[in-house]
Amino acid sequence: DASGSTDIEGTPCEAGSHDPLDDVNFLQDEVTMWMYSILERNWPRLIRKVMSEHLNFAKVIADQLSGTGVQVEDVIEAERIMNDEYDKWEKEDILKFLSRLLELSKPIIIVANKTDAPTAEENIRRLKEKYPLVIPASAQSELALVNAAKAGLINYNSGDDHFEIIADDKLSTKQKEALEYIDEHVLKKYGSTGIQEALNTAVYELLDQIAVYPVEDEHKYSDHKGNVLPDALLIPRGSTPRDMAYCIHTDIGDGFTHAIDARRNMRIASDQELKQGDIISIISNK
């Protein structure tokens, strides 16, 4: 809540009375302490093993934190800010290391909601000064615009920087004022409501995913029921048709024989890297 009108417990409070930076700090501290609790109970034993058996510190720590999704590369990078006298690390040293590891392995997007509130602008500026990825947003504005579009009152697609009124005679004075407010205080000021931008940034940048479209009929871009582009799969960038087959179903992956690029109407190699927006027909003998 960039307006500062929701406290740390999630309870509404006077706008501007709560500092949203406290919310971010609280979350980061909680996750860091969670990771610390995983390491702390075995830390002496792990470090003795690393030191006595000359094991790779990064691999040992990554294995211990495997359930959190931490990679060896993240540990290696986080370790750069520390000394290698692991047996002399105190709690503060471990927390410093884990804080850096969290930044690398779990990058966050701060979606600064309620940007239209007068108290939000200064808080957004402060958030951007401290954190690398802050997206101003107004969920209430997005909901209002989407509902108005569904009702046939405006033309609007999520992520747009504007909307077009197409049924002026059906809008009440209150609705017109609300749309004018959104246009002036959200769209013109920040370029969008921020909701679609936040989703796109999370999926395509931080998670490094691409969207591909599996079809059964490569000519009609449809499934066996005739539904055109019935599904979209989010898969890691660098995935191949065989990887995609396994994402659909294990049996389809096990029985994978080849794939067809529907846009080009041609067979593609099983190890070819897929691209954003590819429409693919998977051929499987299962």
Side-chain angles (χ1 to χ4, degrees):
D1 183 346
S3 71
S5 58
T6 307
D7 67 19
I8 199 76
E9 301 295 333
T11 304
C13 59
E14 182 181 353
S17 64
H18 178 68
D19 188 348
L21 272 76
D22 290 344
D23 299 328
V24 183
N25 292 334
F26 172 78
L27 175 62
Q28 291 181 317
D29 289 345
E30 284 291 297
V31 178
T32 299
M33 290 306 298
W34 168 59
M35 295 172 74
Y36 175 76
S37 70
I38 296 173
L39 286 183
E40 186 267 340
R41 55 179 175 261
N42 293 317
W43 183 261
R45 179 181 61 81
L46 291 173
I47 297 307
R48 281 197 302 270
K49 198 169 183 179
V50 168
M51 304 293 283
S52 63
E53 299 180 23
H54 305 289
L55 299 180
N56 184 294
F57 173 80
K59 188 176 187 311
V60 170
I61 297 301
D63 287 344
Q64 192 70 14
L65 295 173
S66 60
T68 69
V70 166
Q71 303 297 314
V72 173
E73 295 78 10
D74 299 325
V75 180
I76 292 173
E77 186 61 31
E79 190 186 355
R80 295 183 190 280
I81 66 169
M82 309 297 294
N83 64 65
D84 60 1
E85 295 179 310
Y86 312 117
D87 56 333
K88 295 182 180 179
W89 286 14
E90 301 290 342
K91 179 178 180 179
E92 292 74 17
D93 299 309
I94 300 173
L95 289 175
K96 179 181 178 182
F97 162 71
L98 289 175
S99 179
R100 176 57 178 155
L101 182 59
L102 179 63
E103 291 178 11
L104 296 166
S105 63
K106 299 287 183 288
I108 64 172
I109 300 174
I110 298 173
V111 183
N113 194 28
K114 300 185 182 179
T115 56
D116 55 301
T119 53
E121 187 170 2
E122 174 61 17
N123 286 332
I124 291 172
R125 183 192 65 76
R126 292 171 58 239
L127 283 165
K128 286 186 173 182
E129 283 182 352
K130 186 171 182 180
Y131 300 102
L133 194 49
V134 178
I135 298 177
S138 174
Q140 188 173 32
S141 297
E142 175 70 11
L143 181 61
L145 293 175
V146 168
N147 285 340
K150 286 181 179 178
L153 302 175
I154 64 173
N155 278 332
Y156 172 76
N157 291 309
S158 293
D160 284 353
D161 61 359
H162 69 284
F163 58 84
E164 177 189 4
I165 295 176
I166 57 176
D168 185 79
D169 57 321
K170 295 182 180 179
L171 288 169
S172 67
T173 300
K174 189 174 181 180
Q175 287 174 320
K176 289 180 181 179
E177 290 175 350
L179 288 173
E180 289 173 1
Y181 185 88
I182 292 171
D183 186 45
E184 188 67 29
H185 293 85
V186 179
L187 299 184
K188 287 181 179 177
K189 192 170 186 177
Y190 295 105
S192 76
T193 65
I195 304 304
Q196 192 63 48
E197 181 184 354
L199 293 171
N200 289 349
T201 302
V203 172
Y204 299 128
E205 294 183 25
L206 289 192
L207 297 178
D208 204 21
Q209 305 269 302
I210 61 171
V212 293
Y213 302 89
V215 297
E216 294 179 60
D217 188 326
E218 66 270 23
H219 303 294
K220 297 181 179 179
Y221 296 176
S222 65
D223 61 13
H224 66 281
K225 294 181 180 179
N227 298 310
V228 177
L229 298 180
D231 297 299
L233 285 180
L234 291 175
I235 58 178
R237 192 178 305 279
S239 294
T240 65
R242 188 181 296 276
D243 296 328
M244 179 180 172
Y246 275 108
C247 287
I248 297 171
H249 197 281
T250 302
D251 288 345
I252 294 177
D254 289 342
F256 176 88
T257 59
H258 64 280
I260 298 173
D261 182 331
R263 292 184 188 275
R264 296 183 293 166
N265 192 29
M266 63 180 292
R267 183 167 172 166
I268 56 177
S270 63
D271 60 352
Q272 178 172 316
E273 183 175 326
L274 297 175
K275 304 184 300 298
Q276 167 69 22
D278 275 349
I279 302 173
I280 304 295
S281 177
I282 300 293
I283 311 302
S284 175
N285 58 23
K286 290 188 178 182

